[in-house]
Amino acid sequence: MQANPVRLRQRAAVLNLALIAATLASLVLAGMVGSVTVSLSEIPGALLELLRGEASSLAATLLDLRLSRALVAFVTGASLSLAGVMMQALLRNPLADPYVLGISAGASVGALAALFFACAAWVVDSAAFASAVVVSILLYTLARRDLRGGTAADGGTALLLLTGQIFSSVCIALVTLMLSIAPESRLRSMVFWLIGELAGAPLRLLPWLVLAAVLVFTLRNARALNVMALHAEASATLGIRVGTLRKSLFFCSALLTATSVTSAGSIGFVGLIIPHACRFAFGPDHRLLVPAATLAGGAYLVLTDIVARTIIAPQQLPVGVITALIGAPVFLYQLHRLRK
C-alpha cells in the first residue's frame, strides 16, 4: 500500500514528460508548417534571432508570426480543457463543458455588440470579457444555493443548470438579433468570432496568469475533487469543505472560459472531448487528469489550428470549424463508450 503513492508519482512524471514533449513538438510543427515552409534546420537560427530581437530573415519573421498564434492556441485550448474538467467535477456530469452555463454566450453578446458598432479590437476583447464576468456574477447570485454546502452538496445542480440555460437562451436571442440587423461589411467578422478564430488574436499575459493560478489551485485540491466525485454524499463528513470547493470551481472555470473566449471566440468541443479522452486514457484520478487534460487540450488546439490554416492554403478556415468537424464524431464515439 505504501508503494502506491510512489508509483502514482512515477506515472504522473512519465505522463507529464510525454505530454510536454508532445506540446513542444506541436509548437515546432506550427512554426514549420504554412504556405511557406520553414525547415527544421532553420528553426534554431530563427529562434536565436527572435531572442536577440533581430528578426531579419524570412524564417525568423514567419516563426514570430506562427509561434505567437500557436501560443495563443495553446493557452486557449489548455484553458478550455481545464475548465471542462472543473465543470464536470462541479456538476458531476460527464457531458458538461465550459459553455454549458451560458458564460460564453454572454461573452458573445459583448463582443458582437462591439463589432456591430465597429469598435477597436481592444474594445471587442474588453466587452467580451466584461459581459462574461457579468453573466457569471448574475448566475452565481441567482443559483448560489446549488454552490453552497449542505444538501446542495449532494450533487443537486438543477437550479444552476436551468439558470445557465435561461441566460444562454437570452444571450443567443440577442446575438441572433444583432446578426440579423448587422451591416454586410461587419457580418463576416461577427460570424467568424462566433465560430472561433485565432487569426489576429494577440498574445497576452493575462490568460497565462489565469491558467497558471487555476492549475495550481486545482492540483492542490485534486484529492478533494476525487473524494467529492466518488463520495458526494459523505464528502462533508470526510473533511471536505464542499461549499467552498464548489464555489471555487465555479468561479475558476468561469474565469478560464471568459479569458479563452475573449482571446479566440467560442471554440467548441475542446472542453468536452479532451477531458473525456484523458479520462479514458489515464483514469479519473484528478491528480493525473488535471495536468494531462491541460497539456493535451493545448496541444490539440495547436494541431487543429495548423489544419485550419493549411488545409486550403493560402486561405484560412476558422479553427472552430475544424474542432467541430473533429469533435462531433469523437464525442459520439465517447458517448457510445460511456453507455457501454
Side-chain angles (χ1 to χ4, degrees):
M1 295 295 292
Q2 294 180 353
N4 285 336
V6 176
R7 287 199 296 268
L8 179 64
R9 285 194 295 269
Q10 291 175 345
R11 184 186 176 197
V14 172
L15 169 64
N16 290 332
L17 287 174
L19 288 173
I20 289 172
T23 298
L24 293 176
S26 68
L27 293 174
V28 172
L29 183 63
M32 294 171 56
V33 176
S35 55
V36 177
T37 303
V38 177
S39 65
L40 184 61
S41 60
E42 294 178 293
I43 295 292
L47 281 175
L48 288 176
E49 288 185 40
L50 292 178
L51 291 175
R52 291 196 301 262
E54 302 173 355
S56 56
S57 66
L58 177 61
T61 303
L62 291 174
L63 187 63
D64 187 20
L65 295 173
R66 293 172 184 174
L67 194 57
S68 296
R69 177 165 171 164
L71 289 174
V72 174
F74 177 82
V75 72
T76 302
S79 298
L80 288 173
S81 186
L82 180 56
V85 172
M86 301 179 77
M87 195 62 68
Q88 290 167 11
L90 170 65
L91 301 177
R92 301 188 67 229
N93 186 340
L95 303 182
D97 73 344
Y99 302 151
V100 71
L101 297 181
I103 296 170
S104 67
S108 300
V109 172
L112 264 64
L115 289 170
F116 182 85
F117 291 105
C119 296
W122 70 269
V123 178
V124 176
D125 294 342
S126 301
F129 185 80
S131 57
V133 171
V134 169
V135 170
S136 301
I137 294 173
L138 290 174
L139 182 60
Y140 172 77
T141 302
L142 296 174
R144 61 183 180 272
R145 289 180 58 189
D146 273 4
L147 296 173
R148 67 188 184 191
T151 57
D154 298 342
T157 55
L159 181 60
L160 181 63
L161 283 170
L162 288 174
T163 307
Q165 289 302 307
I166 291 172
F167 274 113
S168 182
S169 299
V170 173
C171 291
I172 290 173
L174 292 174
V175 166
T176 305
L177 175 63
M178 286 186 283
L179 290 175
S180 63
I181 63 176
E184 290 289 338
S185 59
R186 300 168 194 167
L187 190 60
R188 179 181 173 85
S189 60
M190 295 170 73
V191 172
F192 269 52
W193 194 97
L194 280 177
I195 298 173
E197 177 59 76
L198 289 168
L203 182 60
R204 297 189 181 90
L205 182 61
L206 179 62
W208 292 93
L209 294 177
V210 171
L211 176 63
V214 174
L215 182 60
V216 170
F217 165 80
T218 312
L219 289 174
R220 292 186 62 180
N221 290 275
R223 291 179 181 271
L225 291 176
N226 289 340
V227 173
M228 193 171 72
L230 294 174
H231 310 287
E233 295 79 6
S235 54
T237 62
L238 294 174
I240 306 299
R241 300 176 62 184
V242 178
T244 302
L245 181 59
R246 289 168 65 84
K247 292 174 185 176
S248 301
L249 288 174
F250 172 78
F251 282 113
C252 287
S253 59
L255 192 57
L256 285 173
T257 304
T259 55
S260 61
V261 172
T262 300
S263 299
S266 300
I267 299 175
F269 285 98
V270 178
L272 183 61
I273 65 171
I274 297 300
H276 272 299
C278 292
R279 192 175 284 110
F280 285 142
F282 310 119
D285 190 339
H286 285 84
R287 291 172 292 179
L288 294 176
L289 179 62
V290 167
T294 303
L295 291 170
Y300 170 74
L301 195 56
V302 172
L303 294 174
T304 52
D305 184 53
I306 293 173
V307 175
R309 61 184 175 81
T310 58
I311 191 171
I312 57 171
Q315 291 184 336
Q316 299 183 15
L317 293 175
V319 69
V321 172
I322 305 300
T323 58
L325 291 174
I326 296 174
V330 170
F331 176 66
L332 290 175
Y333 171 74
Q334 292 177 343
L335 190 61
H336 176 70
R337 288 280 304 273
L338 190 66
R339 287 187 61 190
K340 293 177 64 176

